[in-house]
Amino acid sequence: MRKDIRTVTVGVDGSRAGLDAADWAAREAERRRLTLRLLHAGGEPTASVPASVPVPGSGLGPTPVPGAAPGSVPRPRARGARTRPALEQSAVPARELQRGILDRAAVRLSYAHPTLQIAARRTDTPALPALLEAATESETVVLGSRGFSGFTGFLVGSVALAVAADAACPVVLVRAGELPPDERVPADTGGDTTSPARTPYLPVVLGLDLEEPADELIGYAFDAAGVRAAPLHVVHAWTLPPLREGAGGAGEPGDTAAQQDARERLLAAALGPWRHKFPQTEVSEEVVYGHAGHHLLKASTRAGLLVVGRSVAGAGLGRAAHSLVHHSTCPVAVVPHD
């Protein structure tokens, strides 16, 4: 992870998924004492929008759109006239609309996080290249994982997946509906019901391939657990290679006990230096037989963040990471590594 970059970037478009991702990104920036950058990309020259647009989930009520008369209300229609929309429509330049989306998101987040530094950026560049460019100057990029459906079609699920598969920095995909209590221990299992802020964070789960125990990946997971004062649970899943006729050795079923023991030693050795670097972090290790996607999905049900790697030399996310992005019950951080 690049320590010289001090920004968390989040893609926003005013949708529910975008606002939930922005909420998560604001908390992450605050935990890491970084600047939060709101990014709105793409857009057409003009867009027809209601004269008054509610801010989803903000509690701030309707916000006037540039170009609409203050207090606009529907005109009474003559008997037999064609039905009109409930609100007067106004053709508003997309640039003004995008600026309004950014402004409202910034105001909403500044109320919730008064000490957080927030910057906003709008660009006409399409979403994918704009986000990939932002990744080169961000410590983390955060996106909604269920896709965006804002007024200009800012981002869809395929774009989020493409960013996660090709970005130069870690990409966190946050599901729509993710709330602050979701990353903390539930009250019925030890959480503090009187002060949610004092409730411990759920564990960070790291899926680790011992064939590629990259420092970038392990470092990100330890750092994420450290800033949360959360435990770190490291999962390594393995399977025997398919048996080939006439071939013996490591692939034989009777060798599973030796393989298990060897992998447990390798995992302990890979984590040893990081345990020393983060002595306050509680670390548990799990070596399991089976497919990584299955075991990590199971672990995600008890986690606040799931961390997986992506080799920059590979093609795309890989089967396990792709499955986790679609099905994990907690936010997923995809970390590129050599």
Side-chain angles (χ1 to χ4, degrees), residues 128-338:
L128 179 55
L131 288 165
L132 291 177
E133 179 184 358
T136 65
E137 51 190 27
S138 302
E139 189 166 299
T140 305
V141 168
V142 181
L143 300 171
S145 68
R146 287 193 182 276
F148 294 65
S149 57
F151 302 117
T152 59
F154 165 63
L155 186 67
V156 296
S158 60
V159 175
L161 291 174
V163 174
D166 204 33
C169 73
V171 176
V172 179
L173 300 177
V174 179
R175 286 193 171 277
E178 182 76 14
L179 299 174
D182 295 332
E183 57 188 3
R184 295 181 181 269
V185 175
D188 59 355
T189 58
D192 190 333
T193 58
T194 61
S195 178
R198 292 202 298 266
T199 300
Y201 282 96
L202 287 166
V204 172
V205 171
L206 167 63
L208 190 61
D209 181 356
L210 290 176
E211 300 298 323
E212 297 179 316
D215 285 347
E216 300 97 325
L217 175 60
I218 301 175
Y220 182 94
F222 268 89
D223 197 39
V227 297
R228 291 165 171 78
L232 175 62
H233 182 54
V234 184
V235 179
H236 168 66
W238 66 282
T239 59
L240 289 170
L243 289 174
R244 292 177 297 175
E245 185 177 354
E252 295 181 357
D255 198 38
T256 55
Q259 286 267 6
Q260 177 78 12
D261 183 64
R263 289 173 182 274
E264 288 176 355
R265 292 197 303 270
L266 284 172
L267 180 58
L271 298 180
W274 295 97
R275 286 177 177 270
H276 180 74
K277 185 176 181 179
F278 292 84
Q280 302 302 318
T281 299
E282 176 188 340
V283 183
S284 60
E285 304 168 16
E286 184 179 9
V287 177
V288 289
Y289 186 83
H291 294 289
H294 169 76
H295 289 290
L296 290 172
L297 282 175
K298 183 178 177 180
S300 75
T301 63
R302 306 180 300 275
L305 178 67
L306 176 61
V307 182
V308 295
R310 171 184 65 80
S311 173
V312 296
L317 288 176
R319 185 173 63 180
H322 193 275
S323 175
L324 292 168
V325 163
H326 280 94
H327 302 295
S328 173
T329 58
C330 69
V332 180
V334 180
V335 182
H337 59 81
D338 294 330

